[in-house]
Amino acid sequence: MKTHDFYYDLPEELIAQTPLERRDTSRLMTLDRRTGATSHRRFYDLPKLLRPGDCLVMNDSRVLPARLLGHREPGGGACEVLLLRDRGNKTWECLVRPGKKMKTGAHLNFGDGELTAEVTEELPGGNRLVQFHYEGIFLEVLERLGKMPLPPYIKAELQDPERYQTVYSREVGSAAAPTAGLHFTKDLLKTIEEMGVKLCYVTLHVGLGTFRPVKEKDITDHEMHSEFCMISQETADAINETKKNGGRVICVGTTSCRTIESWAAEDGTLRQSSGWTDIYIYPGYRFKVMDCLITNFHLPESTLIMLVSALAGREHVLAAYEEAVKERYRFFSFGDAMFIY
Protein backbone atom coordinates (compact mmCIF):
# COMPACT_ATOMS: atom_id res chain seq x y z
CA MET A 1 0.00 0.00 0.00
CA LYS A 2 1.40 3.38 -1.03
CA THR A 3 1.72 6.46 1.15
CA HIS A 4 0.03 8.55 -1.54
CA ASP A 5 -3.08 6.37 -1.14
CA PHE A 6 -3.72 8.39 2.05
CA TYR A 7 -3.48 11.83 0.48
CA TYR A 8 -6.36 14.28 0.36
CA ASP A 9 -6.48 17.91 -0.71
CA LEU A 10 -6.97 20.36 2.18
CA PRO A 11 -7.38 24.12 1.72
CA GLU A 12 -5.01 25.89 4.11
CA GLU A 13 -7.77 28.10 5.52
CA LEU A 14 -9.45 25.00 7.05
CA ILE A 15 -6.49 24.36 9.39
CA ALA A 16 -7.77 25.64 12.76
CA GLN A 17 -5.38 28.20 14.23
CA THR A 18 -7.13 28.86 17.53
CA PRO A 19 -9.45 26.88 19.82
CA LEU A 20 -13.18 27.65 19.93
CA GLU A 21 -14.47 29.69 22.87
CA ARG A 22 -16.26 26.62 24.25
CA ARG A 23 -14.56 23.25 23.95
CA ASP A 24 -17.67 21.15 23.35
CA THR A 25 -19.20 23.35 20.62
CA SER A 26 -16.85 21.91 18.00
CA ARG A 27 -18.51 19.96 15.22
CA LEU A 28 -18.71 16.17 15.37
CA MET A 29 -18.95 14.03 12.27
CA THR A 30 -20.10 10.46 12.83
CA LEU A 31 -18.84 7.69 10.55
CA ASP A 32 -20.32 4.20 10.39
CA ARG A 33 -17.23 2.11 9.67
CA ARG A 34 -19.24 -0.69 8.09
CA THR A 35 -21.32 1.35 5.65
CA GLY A 36 -19.42 4.64 5.37
CA ALA A 37 -22.57 6.59 6.30
CA THR A 38 -21.94 9.96 7.94
CA SER A 39 -23.93 12.50 9.96
CA HIS A 40 -23.18 15.94 11.38
CA ARG A 41 -23.58 16.96 15.03
CA ARG A 42 -21.93 19.03 17.75
CA PHE A 43 -19.54 17.53 20.28
CA TYR A 44 -21.97 18.20 23.14
CA ASP A 45 -24.27 15.65 21.41
CA LEU A 46 -21.79 12.86 22.22
CA PRO A 47 -23.89 11.38 25.08
CA LYS A 48 -26.61 10.56 22.51
CA LEU A 49 -24.10 8.32 20.73
CA LEU A 50 -23.00 6.44 23.86
CA ARG A 51 -24.72 3.61 25.74
CA PRO A 52 -24.78 2.57 29.39
CA GLY A 53 -22.11 -0.10 29.80
CA ASP A 54 -19.71 1.51 27.34
CA CYS A 55 -16.21 2.47 28.45
CA LEU A 56 -14.49 5.72 27.45
CA VAL A 57 -10.67 5.45 27.45
CA MET A 58 -8.80 8.76 27.72
CA ASN A 59 -5.12 9.70 27.70
CA ASP A 60 -4.37 11.77 30.81
CA SER A 61 -0.93 12.92 29.69
CA ARG A 62 -0.21 16.60 30.20
CA VAL A 63 1.84 18.70 27.78
CA LEU A 64 5.19 19.89 29.07
CA PRO A 65 5.88 23.62 28.41
CA ALA A 66 8.85 22.22 26.52
CA ARG A 67 9.80 25.06 24.16
CA LEU A 68 12.62 27.19 25.54
CA LEU A 69 13.75 30.45 23.93
CA GLY A 70 17.14 31.81 24.96
CA HIS A 71 20.53 32.80 23.66
CA ARG A 72 23.91 31.24 23.05
CA GLU A 73 27.01 32.16 25.01
CA PRO A 74 29.27 33.88 24.28
CA GLY A 75 27.91 36.18 21.61
CA GLY A 76 24.25 36.24 22.55
CA GLY A 77 22.76 34.78 19.36
CA ALA A 78 19.17 33.58 19.73
CA CYS A 79 18.46 29.86 20.22
CA GLU A 80 15.46 27.58 20.61
CA VAL A 81 15.38 24.21 22.38
CA LEU A 82 12.47 21.76 22.36
CA LEU A 83 12.56 19.02 25.02
CA LEU A 84 11.73 15.58 23.63
CA ARG A 85 12.84 12.91 26.09
CA ASP A 86 14.28 12.86 29.60
CA ARG A 87 17.55 10.89 29.48
CA GLY A 88 18.33 11.29 33.20
CA ASN A 89 21.07 13.22 35.02
CA LYS A 90 19.39 16.54 34.03
CA THR A 91 19.94 15.63 30.39
CA TRP A 92 17.25 15.73 27.69
CA GLU A 93 17.14 14.73 24.07
CA CYS A 94 16.13 17.91 22.25
CA LEU A 95 15.43 19.52 18.93
CA VAL A 96 17.55 22.67 18.62
CA ARG A 97 17.65 25.73 16.42
CA PRO A 98 19.88 26.96 14.79
CA GLY A 99 21.41 23.51 14.50
CA LYS A 100 24.59 24.66 12.76
CA LYS A 101 25.53 26.84 15.72
CA MET A 102 24.59 24.41 18.47
CA LYS A 103 27.32 21.81 18.28
CA THR A 104 28.74 19.78 21.16
CA GLY A 105 30.07 22.16 23.81
CA ALA A 106 27.70 25.02 23.01
CA HIS A 107 26.50 26.93 26.10
CA LEU A 108 22.94 28.22 26.37
CA ASN A 109 21.18 30.67 28.66
CA PHE A 110 17.46 30.99 29.39
CA GLY A 111 15.60 33.47 31.62
CA ASP A 112 18.61 35.67 32.44
CA GLY A 113 20.57 32.74 33.80
CA GLU A 114 17.80 31.06 35.82
CA LEU A 115 18.34 28.08 33.51
CA THR A 116 21.58 27.32 31.69
CA ALA A 117 22.55 24.37 29.54
CA GLU A 118 25.29 22.72 27.53
CA VAL A 119 25.00 20.63 24.36
CA THR A 120 26.80 17.39 25.30
CA GLU A 121 26.24 15.23 22.20
CA GLU A 122 25.00 15.39 18.60
CA LEU A 123 22.74 12.44 17.78
CA PRO A 124 22.12 10.74 14.43
CA GLY A 125 19.20 12.47 12.74
CA GLY A 126 20.09 15.90 14.11
CA ASN A 127 18.76 15.85 17.69
CA ARG A 128 21.02 16.89 20.58
CA LEU A 129 21.63 15.77 24.12
CA VAL A 130 21.44 18.87 26.32
CA GLN A 131 22.37 18.96 30.01
CA PHE A 132 20.57 21.62 32.07
CA HIS A 133 21.72 23.48 35.19
CA TYR A 134 19.22 25.08 37.58
CA GLU A 135 18.20 25.49 41.20
CA GLY A 136 15.07 23.78 42.55
CA ILE A 137 12.58 21.66 40.60
CA PHE A 138 12.95 21.46 36.83
CA LEU A 139 9.21 21.33 36.16
CA GLU A 140 8.67 24.54 38.14
CA VAL A 141 11.46 26.23 36.17
CA LEU A 142 9.80 25.10 32.93
CA GLU A 143 6.43 26.44 34.08
CA ARG A 144 8.06 29.86 34.43
CA LEU A 145 10.27 29.89 31.33
CA GLY A 146 8.83 27.37 28.88
CA LYS A 147 6.20 27.81 26.18
CA MET A 148 3.68 25.34 24.74
CA PRO A 149 5.21 23.43 21.79
CA LEU A 150 2.36 23.98 19.33
CA PRO A 151 2.39 21.95 16.08
CA PRO A 152 4.20 23.53 13.12
CA TYR A 153 0.95 24.18 11.21
CA ILE A 154 -0.37 26.48 13.98
CA LYS A 155 0.99 29.98 13.40
CA ALA A 156 -1.24 31.95 15.81
CA GLU A 157 -0.11 32.71 19.37
CA LEU A 158 -2.01 30.72 22.01
CA GLN A 159 -3.57 33.15 24.51
CA ASP A 160 -4.41 30.58 27.20
CA PRO A 161 -1.94 27.65 27.52
CA GLU A 162 -4.61 25.55 29.26
CA ARG A 163 -6.53 25.35 25.97
CA TYR A 164 -3.78 23.04 24.68
CA GLN A 165 -4.38 20.73 27.68
CA THR A 166 -7.31 18.37 28.21
CA VAL A 167 -9.45 19.09 31.29
CA TYR A 168 -8.36 15.71 32.69
CA SER A 169 -4.61 16.03 32.03
CA ARG A 170 -2.43 15.14 35.04
CA GLU A 171 0.68 13.12 34.07
CA VAL A 172 3.24 15.62 32.74
CA GLY A 173 5.38 14.39 29.86
CA SER A 174 3.95 15.05 26.39
CA ALA A 175 5.52 17.19 23.67
CA ALA A 176 2.09 17.55 22.04
CA ALA A 177 -1.50 17.33 23.27
CA PRO A 178 -3.70 14.24 22.79
CA THR A 179 -6.00 16.54 20.84
CA ALA A 180 -9.14 14.40 20.57
CA GLY A 181 -9.62 15.04 24.28
CA LEU A 182 -9.57 18.84 23.92
CA HIS A 183 -13.33 18.84 23.14
CA PHE A 184 -14.38 17.53 26.55
CA THR A 185 -15.55 19.73 29.41
CA LYS A 186 -15.87 18.60 33.01
CA ASP A 187 -19.65 18.97 32.77
CA LEU A 188 -19.80 16.80 29.65
CA LEU A 189 -17.72 14.09 31.34
CA LYS A 190 -20.01 14.21 34.36
CA THR A 191 -23.08 13.78 32.13
CA ILE A 192 -21.46 10.81 30.38
CA GLU A 193 -20.50 9.14 33.66
CA GLU A 194 -23.97 9.66 35.14
CA MET A 195 -25.56 7.86 32.18
CA GLY A 196 -23.64 4.69 33.06
CA VAL A 197 -20.53 4.98 30.88
CA LYS A 198 -17.24 4.05 32.59
CA LEU A 199 -14.51 6.70 32.42
CA CYS A 200 -10.99 5.32 32.55
CA TYR A 201 -7.53 6.66 31.84
CA VAL A 202 -4.30 5.52 30.27
CA THR A 203 -1.11 7.53 29.85
CA LEU A 204 0.85 7.91 26.62
CA HIS A 205 3.36 10.73 26.43
CA VAL A 206 2.94 12.08 22.92
CA GLY A 207 6.18 12.67 20.99
CA LEU A 208 6.72 15.06 18.11
CA GLY A 209 7.09 12.03 15.87
CA THR A 210 3.30 12.09 15.74
CA PHE A 211 3.62 15.02 13.29
CA ARG A 212 6.35 13.41 11.22
CA PRO A 213 5.21 12.78 7.66
CA VAL A 214 5.65 9.34 6.13
CA LYS A 215 8.37 9.93 3.53
CA GLU A 216 8.68 6.39 2.19
CA LYS A 217 6.63 5.52 -0.89
CA ASP A 218 5.46 2.23 0.63
CA ILE A 219 3.84 2.62 4.07
CA THR A 220 5.43 -0.59 5.38
CA ASP A 221 8.91 0.95 4.98
CA HIS A 222 8.14 3.72 7.48
CA GLU A 223 9.96 3.50 10.82
CA MET A 224 7.50 4.31 13.61
CA HIS A 225 8.58 6.56 16.49
CA SER A 226 8.35 5.16 20.02
CA GLU A 227 6.48 6.68 22.95
CA PHE A 228 6.18 5.79 26.63
CA CYS A 229 2.77 4.58 27.79
CA MET A 230 1.14 2.86 30.73
CA ILE A 231 -2.10 1.24 31.86
CA SER A 232 -3.13 0.92 35.51
CA GLN A 233 -4.70 -2.26 36.88
CA GLU A 234 -7.88 -0.27 37.55
CA THR A 235 -8.18 0.71 33.89
CA ALA A 236 -7.30 -2.80 32.69
CA ASP A 237 -10.04 -4.25 34.93
CA ALA A 238 -12.60 -1.70 33.71
CA ILE A 239 -11.88 -2.47 30.05
CA ASN A 240 -11.88 -6.23 30.61
CA GLU A 241 -15.21 -6.00 32.41
CA THR A 242 -16.71 -3.85 29.65
CA LYS A 243 -15.71 -6.39 26.98
CA LYS A 244 -16.99 -9.28 29.08
CA ASN A 245 -20.38 -7.59 29.52
CA GLY A 246 -20.78 -6.73 25.84
CA GLY A 247 -20.11 -2.99 26.17
CA ARG A 248 -18.05 -0.99 23.70
CA VAL A 249 -14.51 0.22 24.36
CA ILE A 250 -14.36 3.74 22.92
CA CYS A 251 -10.91 5.32 22.70
CA VAL A 252 -10.57 9.07 22.86
CA GLY A 253 -7.77 9.69 20.39
CA THR A 254 -5.23 7.62 18.54
CA THR A 255 -2.90 7.74 21.57
CA SER A 256 -5.41 5.92 23.80
CA CYS A 257 -5.94 3.42 20.99
CA ARG A 258 -2.21 2.81 20.54
CA THR A 259 -1.79 2.32 24.29
CA ILE A 260 -4.42 -0.35 24.80
CA GLU A 261 -3.65 -2.12 21.52
CA SER A 262 0.06 -2.21 22.47
CA TRP A 263 -0.55 -4.06 25.72
CA ALA A 264 -3.54 -6.25 24.82
CA ALA A 265 -3.13 -10.01 24.83
CA GLU A 266 -4.25 -11.90 21.74
CA ASP A 267 -7.62 -12.55 23.37
CA GLY A 268 -8.09 -8.80 23.93
CA THR A 269 -7.56 -8.84 27.69
CA LEU A 270 -5.41 -6.27 29.48
CA ARG A 271 -3.40 -6.10 32.68
CA GLN A 272 -1.30 -3.40 34.33
CA SER A 273 1.52 -2.56 31.92
CA SER A 274 4.06 0.14 31.11
CA GLY A 275 6.90 0.65 28.66
CA TRP A 276 7.76 2.00 25.23
CA THR A 277 5.59 1.31 22.22
CA ASP A 278 6.25 1.78 18.52
CA ILE A 279 3.04 0.08 17.42
CA TYR A 280 2.21 1.00 13.82
CA ILE A 281 -1.43 0.55 12.88
CA TYR A 282 -2.45 0.65 9.22
CA PRO A 283 -5.06 -1.12 7.06
CA GLY A 284 -4.94 -4.87 7.61
CA TYR A 285 -4.43 -4.51 11.36
CA ARG A 286 -6.85 -6.51 13.54
CA PHE A 287 -7.99 -4.50 16.57
CA LYS A 288 -7.93 -6.57 19.75
CA VAL A 289 -9.74 -4.20 22.12
CA MET A 290 -11.00 -0.96 20.59
CA ASP A 291 -14.53 -0.88 19.17
CA CYS A 292 -15.03 2.84 18.47
CA LEU A 293 -12.81 5.91 18.17
CA ILE A 294 -13.24 9.61 18.88
CA THR A 295 -10.59 11.47 16.91
CA ASN A 296 -9.75 14.72 15.16
CA PHE A 297 -9.12 15.14 11.43
CA HIS A 298 -5.51 14.22 10.64
CA LEU A 299 -2.78 15.30 8.25
CA PRO A 300 -2.67 13.78 4.76
CA GLU A 301 -0.26 10.84 4.42
CA SER A 302 0.27 10.62 8.21
CA THR A 303 0.41 7.50 10.37
CA LEU A 304 -2.72 8.81 12.14
CA ILE A 305 -4.92 8.80 9.03
CA MET A 306 -3.57 5.30 8.37
CA LEU A 307 -4.66 4.19 11.84
CA VAL A 308 -8.15 5.63 11.30
CA SER A 309 -8.28 3.88 7.92
CA ALA A 310 -7.39 0.58 9.59
CA LEU A 311 -10.55 0.94 11.66
CA ALA A 312 -13.03 2.33 9.12
CA GLY A 313 -11.52 1.48 5.72
CA ARG A 314 -9.45 3.83 3.56
CA GLU A 315 -12.27 4.53 1.09
CA HIS A 316 -14.77 5.39 3.84
CA VAL A 317 -12.27 7.64 5.62
CA LEU A 318 -11.19 9.54 2.51
CA ALA A 319 -14.82 10.00 1.45
CA ALA A 320 -15.62 11.36 4.95
CA TYR A 321 -12.63 13.71 4.79
CA GLU A 322 -13.75 14.93 1.38
CA GLU A 323 -17.18 15.62 2.85
CA ALA A 324 -15.58 17.42 5.83
CA VAL A 325 -13.68 19.70 3.44
CA LYS A 326 -16.85 20.40 1.50
CA GLU A 327 -18.74 21.17 4.73
CA ARG A 328 -15.92 23.47 5.90
CA TYR A 329 -14.95 21.50 9.00
CA ARG A 330 -11.95 22.76 10.98
CA PHE A 331 -8.92 20.44 10.74
CA PHE A 332 -6.06 19.21 12.96
CA SER A 333 -5.26 19.97 16.63
CA PHE A 334 -7.74 22.79 17.35
CA GLY A 335 -10.20 21.50 14.77
CA ASP A 336 -13.40 19.46 14.83
CA ALA A 337 -13.90 15.82 15.76
CA MET A 338 -15.10 12.52 14.35
CA PHE A 339 -16.83 9.60 16.07
CA ILE A 340 -16.15 6.31 14.28
CA TYR A 341 -18.40 3.46 15.38
Side-chain angles (χ1 to χ4, degrees):
M1 195 167 275
K2 303 300 179 192
T3 299
H4 194 68
D5 292 338
F6 298 89
Y7 178 80
Y8 67 93
D9 198 25
L10 179 68
E12 194 171 335
E13 68 267 18
L14 295 185
I15 299 174
Q17 293 296 313
T18 54
L20 296 178
E21 190 176 338
R22 265 189 57 196
R23 291 174 183 261
D24 61 357
T25 56
S26 54
R27 296 169 77 185
L28 179 65
M29 176 188 279
T30 67
L31 173 62
D32 184 328
R33 60 192 174 104
R34 292 165 187 84
T35 68
T38 58
S39 71
H40 306 282
R41 297 171 177 264
R42 293 284 171 180
F43 201 83
Y44 52 67
D45 292 324
L46 182 64
K48 298 174 185 173
L49 304 171
L50 305 178
R51 308 169 192 154
D54 285 345
C55 178
L56 211 54
V57 184
M58 292 166 278
N59 180 8
D60 64 5
S61 183
R62 186 168 174 82
V63 185
L64 201 65
R67 185 170 168 245
L68 290 163
L69 304 176
H71 59 268
R72 308 186 306 278
E73 295 182 327
C79 69
E80 180 176 337
V81 169
L82 187 61
L83 307 178
L84 297 179
R85 185 182 297 181
D86 186 353
R87 293 295 195 92
N89 193 31
K90 297 187 175 181
T91 298
W92 284 72
E93 182 177 342
C94 302
L95 282 173
V96 301
R97 190 187 299 175
K100 288 182 180 177
K101 297 192 175 177
M102 293 173 71
K103 305 291 189 185
T104 301
H107 289 269
L108 316 173
N109 187 314
F110 308 94
D112 295 326
E114 183 180 353
L115 179 65
T116 60
E118 180 182 353
V119 178
T120 58
E121 189 178 334
E122 297 169 47
L123 300 175
N127 291 353
R128 305 286 195 272
L129 290 186
V130 179
Q131 186 170 48
F132 292 92
H133 308 284
Y134 52 89
E135 296 290 330
I137 298 168
F138 189 48
L139 185 55
E140 292 178 359
V141 176
L142 280 183
E143 291 287 352
R144 288 193 293 275
L145 302 181
K147 292 180 175 291
M148 279 295 160
L150 293 177
Y153 47 74
I154 293 178
K155 313 298 182 192
E157 189 74 25
L158 182 62
Q159 299 304 314
D160 177 7
E162 277 303 308
R163 291 308 307 275
Y164 195 57
Q165 306 278 16
T166 63
V167 296
Y168 48 78
S169 65
R170 56 190 174 197
E171 300 291 340
V172 177
S174 277
T179 55
L182 295 180
H183 307 281
F184 285 93
T185 64
K186 289 184 176 177
D187 284 346
L188 183 60
L189 287 169
K190 186 180 177 188
T191 298
I192 289 169
E193 189 171 30
E194 285 175 349
M195 65 178 282
V197 174
K198 288 193 189 81
L199 305 183
C200 58
Y201 300 90
V202 297
T203 303
L204 181 141
H205 292 317
V206 187
L208 286 182
T210 193
F211 301 119
R212 207 174 84 202
V214 178
K215 294 180 179 174
E216 291 76 12
K217 286 185 178 178
D218 190 305
I219 67 171
T220 57
D221 293 334
H222 176 69
E223 187 177 331
M224 195 68 179
H225 59 284
S226 62
E227 294 164 315
F228 185 80
C229 62
M230 49 191 169
I231 299 175
S232 67
Q233 190 61 52
E234 183 184 2
T235 290
D237 290 344
I239 292 172
N240 292 340
E241 187 181 348
T242 298
K243 296 295 276 189
K244 181 181 170 186
N245 294 336
R248 299 176 301 173
V249 173
I250 301 165
C251 288
V252 176
T254 56
T255 58
S256 300
C257 165
R258 293 182 68 237
T259 302
I260 64 171
E261 292 293 325
S262 293
W263 299 114
E266 277 305 311
D267 64 358
T269 57
L270 290 162
R271 57 186 175 82
Q272 182 176 342
S273 308
S274 67
W276 293 88
T277 181
D278 59 359
I279 190 171
Y280 182 16
I281 298 175
Y282 53 84
Y285 178 84
R286 183 182 66 82
F287 288 90
K288 304 185 192 78
V289 188
M290 184 176 74
D291 300 299
C292 309
L293 177 66
I294 296 167
T295 188
N296 281 18
F297 291 89
H298 303 295
L299 277 73
E301 300 184 337
S302 64
T303 58
L304 303 181
I305 196 171
M306 292 171 189
L307 184 154
V308 171
S309 297
L311 180 64
R314 186 182 69 90
E315 293 80 7
H316 289 165
V317 168
L318 290 180
Y321 272 53
E322 191 177 326
E323 185 176 346
V325 169
K326 186 176 141 194
E327 296 290 331
R328 310 294 289 175
Y329 272 67
R330 302 166 82 245
F331 278 69
F332 305 161
S333 296
F334 287 138
D336 295 315
M338 178 184 267
F339 177 66
I340 303 173
Y341 64 97

